[in-house]
Amino acid sequence: DDAYLYLMPRRAWAAVLNRCLADGSACCPTQRALYKGLRLLGAIATDETRGTATKAKWIDGHTVRALWLIRDEVRRLLEQRGKDEST
């Protein structure tokens, strides 16, 4: 939708790990560290009642646990990263 990007938690973390390995990073974040970083950046909507980084989302007739990335915040962070890399 217009407000959020919905990601499957394990696939999102696997993508981060693959990127770390492709970049030759010596260490990659744990799944918990990834979620904490996203929370600190204000880029993720969390389930405050459960205290989790995932929230329930109705998709194709089923309720699934998904990461709810805040679309505008992700866009802002990507734009900032682009500015930082060009300087």
Side-chain angles (χ1 to χ4, degrees):
D1 62 32
D2 291 341
Y4 299 100
L5 299 168
Y6 305 102
L7 302 178
M8 305 312 295
R10 289 185 183 181
R11 290 183 180 165
W13 185 55
V16 169
L17 291 179
N18 287 335
R19 179 63 189 252
C20 287
L21 294 173
D23 288 348
S25 298
C27 80
C28 298
T30 62
Q31 193 170 15
R32 177 174 281 203
L34 173 64
Y35 297 166
K36 183 178 180 179
L38 290 169
R39 275 194 301 273
L40 290 173
L41 291 170
I44 190 172
T46 59
D47 186 337
E48 298 299 327
T49 59
R50 292 183 57 176
T52 62
T54 60
K55 294 177 65 170
K57 177 66 179 163
W58 187 260
I59 299 175
D60 291 331
H62 303 304
T63 301
V64 297
R65 301 299 296 179
L67 293 173
W68 291 38
L69 296 182
I70 302 167
R71 188 180 292 269
D72 288 343
E73 195 58 29
V74 170
R75 185 177 296 119
R76 185 190 67 76
L77 290 166
L78 290 173
E79 288 171 357
Q80 182 62 45
R81 181 178 179 197
K83 290 177 187 174
D84 291 345
E85 289 179 353
S86 66
T87 57

